[in-house]
Each structure stands twice: as C-alpha cells, then as structure tokens.
Amino acid sequence: MLQLYFFPMACSLSSRIALMEADIEAQYHLAHIWTKRIVDDGSDFRDLSPMGAVPVLVLENGDRLTESAAVLQYIADLKPQAGLAPRFGDPDRYRLQEWLSFIGAEIHKAFLFPTFWYKDEGSLAKPRARIAQTLSVPATHLASREFLVGNGFTVADAHLTWALLLLRPAGIDIAQWPSLSTYLERMQARPAVKAAIVTEMALRRAMAA
Ligand SMILES: N[C@@H](CCC(=O)N[C@@H](CS)C(=O)NCC(=O)O)C(=O)O
C-alpha cells in the first residue's frame, strides 16, 4: 500500500486531498517537520527525506518520491479515470505542470515558507511586497473559470486549495480577491477536500493542545 508521510496542514495536505479524491487507499504517517521525528516510531525523518520535508510518498515497490509536483502527478496517474491530471500528450498536461510550479515556487517557497520559517521582519519585507502581484495571477485566471486546468478538479486545484488555506494564518486576507475566495469555498465544499481538511485540522489541534 502507498504510504504518505505528512505534517498536518503542511503542503502534504494536497497529496492527501489527491489520494482521497482518487479514492486510493494509503497509510498516513505523521512526520514532525520541526523535530524531524516520525511520530509512529520516533525515527529520524531525515533518513527518509534528505530535506526533512513533507510530502514523502513511499511507493508499493518501496521507492520514495518527494516534491509535491511529482507526488501529486504520480497519484493522479495511478488512477487516470479520476481525471486528476490531463493525460501525457494533452497540451493541458503542461498547463497543470505550469500551475504546480507556480504554486510551489511563487506562492509556497517565495511567500509561505519564509513567513512560517523566517519570522524576522527583514526577511519578510520582500515576500510581502510581492505576494499581491503573485496572487493576482490565479485570481485573474479563476475569474472566468471554475478550475485551474480544463473543466474539472485536478491536482493543481488540490495544491492551490492548500496554499490558499495557509494564506490567512500567514496574514493575507484573500477576501480582496473575490474569485479566489469563492474558488476556495467551492473547493472546500467537495467531500474529499473537506474530509482531508477536517482530518488534518483535528490532528493539528491535538498537537497544539
Ligand atoms: N519543494 C517541496 C517543498 C516541501 C516543503 O517545504 N515542505 C515543508 C512543509 S509545507 C516542510 O516539510 N518543511 C520542513 C523543512 O523545510 O525543514 C514540495 O513542493 O514538496
């Protein structure tokens, strides 16, 4: 069975959403991204993930896959009939990769990562100055569309949903982009998305208690 190493409400949430949207069974292991310990057995997460970062997907053959863009596409391709990624050869596959790169590099690493990891004001000035311009890209795109790619939910939507959820605790109110707010509401109304978020929020609250 597939095994996903995750931390509640971190970027690995999008992989959980993808697994649940595709109705693929998996085992979930909580990897603490600050202590670098795997909660199940206390082992060092860096033995599994050189960066000590989630997500890590352990495949049926024992191989490990890291990087959300790769993990998400792998999950999508396990069950093509779920429609979570356009098939290779379809020009929309490159649109999917374009959005996965954009979310991973321009929203996650350029803004969310420094906000949650480097808390000093000096390091945050540049990311904060740029985030509105960055978010205007998906906001404009989604003003006339329901999903990021094509006419259905894909793993790019799973990843953007996670990123948008993290913007509020990062100090950004997405109400200023109505297309993003209504998109996030629509995505959160999907049963699999909702269930994934409820599960991880409960784990997060239990960790904070
Ligand atoms: N490029 C990686 C980034 C993964 C990443 O930064 N994950 C964060 C959680 S959202 C993490 O585990 N960080 C721990 C660390 O960097 O030490 C991806 O897109 O999957």
Side-chain angles (χ1 to χ4, degrees):
M1 195 187 297
L2 290 176
Q3 301 187 55
L4 180 70
Y5 287 79
F6 77 99
F7 184 78
M9 298 309 289
C11 55
S12 45
L13 174 67
S14 48
S15 298
R16 183 190 290 268
I17 291 174
L19 287 164
M20 292 179 74
E21 282 278 349
D23 200 16
I24 295 172
E25 217 186 324
Q27 281 178 353
Y28 294 87
H29 303 279
L30 203 162
H32 204 300
I33 55 176
W34 290 298
T35 65
K36 307 298 180 202
R37 295 280 143 197
I38 297 172
V39 171
D40 290 348
D41 59 7
S43 60
D44 193 332
F45 182 43
R46 283 162 298 199
D47 292 342
L48 202 65
S49 157
M51 297 291 286
V54 293
V56 177
L57 189 68
V58 180
L59 312 183
E60 304 273 4
N61 66 1
D63 283 355
R64 293 171 215 154
L65 198 57
T66 60
E67 295 297 323
S68 298
V71 170
L72 288 168
Q73 291 184 74
Y74 183 88
I75 293 168
D77 290 338
L78 274 182
K79 208 161 186 189
Q81 64 274 31
L84 293 182
R87 298 195 185 224
F88 279 104
D90 180 333
D92 271 351
R93 185 70 180 224
Y94 302 101
R95 294 287 164 213
L96 180 96
Q97 291 176 339
E98 184 178 34
W99 280 114
L100 290 174
S101 291
F102 184 88
I103 297 158
E106 306 299 337
I107 305 179
H108 182 189
K109 282 295 161 167
F111 180 74
L112 293 171
F113 191 82
T115 302
F116 289 112
W117 287 78
Y118 312 137
K119 299 194 189 282
D120 65 296
E121 286 305 309
S123 309
L124 295 181
K126 279 190 181 160
R128 282 211 192 109
R130 204 174 147 85
I131 189 63
Q133 183 196 353
T134 305
L135 291 175
S136 72
V137 176
T140 303
H141 185 73
L142 289 166
S144 57
R145 313 164 61 103
E146 209 173 323
F147 302 99
L148 282 176
V149 180
N151 297 318
F153 183 92
T154 66
V155 290
D157 296 301
H159 212 30
L160 184 60
T161 297
W162 162 74
L164 294 180
L165 283 171
L166 269 271
L167 285 171
R168 186 185 294 265
I172 303 291
D173 182 0
I174 63 163
Q176 58 193 295
W177 297 280
S179 62
L180 291 183
S181 316
T182 53
Y183 167 83
L184 183 58
E185 276 170 32
R186 263 197 323 275
M187 296 302 116
Q188 286 185 274
R190 297 176 69 84
V193 175
K194 196 191 225 166
I197 295 169
V198 165
T199 300
E200 296 215 355
M201 282 302 290
L203 285 166
R204 194 64 188 249
R205 273 194 291 268
M207 290 177 81

